[in-house]
Amino acid sequence: MEFFDLSIIWALIIGFGVIMYVLMDGFDLGLGILYPFAPDETSRDVMMNSVAPVWDGNETWLVLGGAGLLGAFPLVYSVFLPALYIGVFLMLAGLIFRGIAFEFRFKARRSRRWWNRAFCWGSAVAAFAQGAVVGAYIQGFAVEDFTYVGGALDWLTPFTVLTGLGLMIGYALLGATWLILKSEGHVQAWAYRIAPPLLVGVLAVFATISVWTPFVDGAVRSRWFDHLAVIWVLPALALGCALWLWRAVRRRQEGQPFVATLGLFIFTYLGLVASKWPVIVPPDHTIWDAASAPGSQLFLLIGVLFVIPIVLAYTAWTYWVFRGKVRPDDGYH
């Protein structure tokens, strides 16, 4: 197998791992963002119980993607970590606090409100940091001789703040539609009410980012307008999913809003990939520049090809076992 082929295969594997993490961990981060706005404590019990059995399995995709990225494209780590150290630290700290809250909130009595806050703030910080990292990837890094030469806070700009807030709203929408699917009664009614304004917020932020991005990255601007008929298919499909979501919520359908939101995320993600491909370390380092030796890639690929089916099977089995509606007295603790 040629080096060229291995690099593309690994790019597809890591891209798949990233979108799986965004979709599967996104809705429980979204529930954490919505936590303070829930109608009552019973609603918060339902929200946490709906993701308690699956949240840790969802993060498997983050570990898989991160480990694969280190082995297959080491240049990405050598640039991204110094450039995004603070952002990545905030993301991991948020995920840690969110995970601790899952374990302790169910057992706490007098201190439950503090674990509620840990769940909320941990989810919000992690979501914002992830969105800011995406924004930093779009705007690029100061790289010379495959070494990051910028400052520790160069990633934090008005553009990355917008992408961070945008992903928070997007995750909140994903959490609301998940709650529509998994809850009933007044909790589901509340989720139906908040989904439309969250969708409007997501579309407003996405539109602003779409207008701003060509001014941030000239290469993206050229690609968008040189391949207008092809690349704009993906935003059109994303808007189609948004319309589907709006109609499904108005008709009080339960499963379709969540599926439509997944589609909205998938087509937006594919639009980002199409805009930057094959650059993996902006502004101009491609996947072949960043790749490790072919022997290393092949060795890791053999292991990953065994691991991914197992993770997929475990994930499917977990969601099947915990299918159906969640009630306040349910839970695995």
Side-chain angles (χ1 to χ4, degrees):
M1 184 175 290
E2 297 293 332
F3 174 68
F4 175 86
D5 296 327
L6 282 172
S7 296
I8 289 184
I9 290 170
W10 266 108
L12 293 175
I13 290 172
I14 292 170
F16 176 72
V18 169
I19 189 59
M20 287 296 291
Y21 170 76
V22 168
L23 296 179
M24 305 194 72
D25 205 38
F27 63 79
D28 55 55
L29 289 172
L31 289 179
I33 293 169
L34 294 173
Y35 222 58
F37 309 102
D40 49 41
E41 197 66 18
T42 299
S43 302
R44 296 186 182 94
D45 290 340
V46 172
M47 293 167 71
M48 185 167 278
N49 286 336
S50 72
V51 294
V54 298
W55 72 271
D56 47 356
N58 293 342
E59 292 189 346
T60 302
W61 296 103
L62 180 64
V63 176
L64 180 65
L69 194 64
L70 175 61
F73 301 107
L75 175 63
V76 176
Y77 265 75
S78 68
V79 173
F80 278 33
L81 283 185
L84 303 172
Y85 184 83
I86 296 176
V88 171
F89 171 79
L90 290 174
M91 181 190 74
L92 295 177
L95 292 176
I96 290 170
F97 275 97
R98 191 272 305 262
I100 293 173
F102 270 111
E103 302 301 328
F104 284 92
R105 181 185 178 275
F106 290 99
K107 301 174 177 62
R109 292 294 180 265
R110 289 178 296 180
S111 61
R112 173 168 287 199
R113 67 183 184 276
W114 293 105
W115 296 117
N116 285 344
R117 293 169 182 170
F119 184 58
C120 169
W121 284 104
S123 301
V125 168
F128 176 82
Q130 290 174 18
V133 166
V134 172
Y137 170 72
I138 294 172
Q139 69 184 11
F141 304 96
V143 181
E144 293 180 5
D145 297 326
F146 301 100
T147 303
Y148 178 68
V149 294
L153 291 176
D154 285 1
W155 62 274
L156 190 60
T157 66
F159 181 76
T160 61
V161 170
L162 178 63
T163 57
L165 294 176
L167 192 62
M168 288 177 65
I169 300 172
Y171 278 169
L173 175 62
L174 200 56
T177 54
W178 169 260
L179 200 58
I180 289 172
L181 176 65
K182 298 293 289 184
S183 65
E184 56 189 4
H186 78 286
V187 181
Q188 187 185 62
W190 173 69
Y192 274 123
R193 287 196 304 273
I194 64 174
L198 286 172
L199 176 59
V200 172
V202 167
L203 293 178
V205 172
F206 281 7
T208 306
I209 292 173
S210 298
V211 172
W212 198 339
T213 296
F215 297 96
V216 172
D217 189 335
V220 170
R221 179 174 63 250
S222 299
R223 178 165 296 187
W224 281 9
F225 294 102
D226 291 345
H227 304 84
L228 189 64
V230 177
I231 204 165
W232 286 90
V233 170
L234 295 170
L237 291 172
L239 289 175
C241 289
L243 178 60
W244 178 20
L245 170 58
W246 183 273
R247 296 181 65 181
V249 170
R250 288 179 63 86
R251 294 176 179 178
R252 289 297 192 264
Q253 293 170 330
E254 295 190 340
Q256 291 191 29
F258 183 65
V259 176
T261 309
L262 294 180
L264 177 61
F265 268 82
I266 289 171
F267 290 121
T268 302
Y269 175 73
L270 291 177
L272 173 62
V273 172
S275 299
K276 303 293 286 189
W277 177 266
V279 172
I280 195 172
V281 181
D284 51 17
H285 293 296
T286 67
I287 59 173
W288 300 285
D289 297 327
S292 59
S296 300
Q297 288 188 327
L298 182 59
F299 177 77
L300 290 170
L301 181 61
I302 294 172
V304 167
L305 291 179
F306 283 100
V307 171
I308 288 181
I310 294 173
V311 175
L312 286 171
Y314 166 78
T315 301
W317 178 80
T318 302
Y319 279 86
W320 174 256
V321 169
F322 293 100
R323 67 191 183 278
K325 297 293 184 180
V326 175
R327 296 172 178 83
D329 55 345
D330 292 340
Y332 79 116
H333 282 75

